[in-house]
Amino acid sequence: MTDVQASEEFPLTQAMKDSGGWNPLWDGLSEMDPEWTELYMKAAMQPWNSGVLSPQVIQLLCIAVDAASTHMYAPGVRRHIRAALEIGVTPTEILEVLKLTTVVGLHSCNIGVPILMEEVARTQ
């Protein structure tokens, strides 16, 4: 498929690639099922396109998702921090989001500690 065909058939996917918003980890998915990928990206971009949330809030949410221990995608964190700063989000606001994001890791203890306690009790 040529770039012209791709941009006509899958305009959102192509726009994300052109703007630097594309994660190269998605390349295989896009190659194997470009139609599904386009539909997924359309759904994922709905918060940007709906206007319900401010661009600042969207960028802060993207930082939280990309920085979360379940995701940890540094290129996305960098991209969204840059974008947030460019639209007026303060470093302090970004730091608060990063601090809140660390709470996601607590769930490891919520799962692991009870199991540890059960196993310790079983062996005693």
Side-chain angles (χ1 to χ4, degrees):
M1 176 180 307
T2 68
D3 286 341
V4 172
Q5 288 173 314
S7 64
E8 291 173 359
E9 290 185 54
F10 311 108
L12 183 55
T13 301
Q14 191 61 47
M16 291 177 73
K17 289 177 181 179
D18 293 344
S19 71
W22 182 257
N23 181 341
L25 296 173
W26 300 331
D27 287 342
L29 177 62
S30 180
E31 290 170 18
M32 293 181 75
D33 196 340
E35 293 88 3
W36 186 90
T37 304
E38 180 75 8
L39 290 171
Y40 175 81
M41 294 304 163
K42 183 177 179 182
M45 295 301 295
Q46 196 275 335
W48 271 276
N49 298 328
S50 72
V52 173
L53 299 174
S54 71
Q56 292 84 354
V57 169
I58 290 172
Q59 290 301 330
L60 290 169
L61 289 169
C62 289
I63 291 166
V65 169
D66 283 344
S69 61
T70 56
H71 194 65
M72 297 192 326
Y73 182 59
V77 174
R78 184 175 305 281
R79 181 173 61 250
H80 292 294
I81 285 177
R82 283 183 183 151
L85 291 169
E86 287 175 8
I87 60 174
V89 176
T90 68
T92 303
E93 291 169 321
I94 294 169
L95 179 60
E96 290 303 311
V97 166
L98 292 171
K99 290 177 354 187
L100 287 168
T101 302
T102 65
V103 175
V104 173
L106 181 64
H107 297 296
S108 299
C109 289
N110 292 346
I111 291 171
V113 171
I115 292 170
L116 174 61
M117 292 175 68
E118 288 172 14
E119 293 301 316
V120 168
R122 193 173 69 86
T123 61
Q124 293 178 347

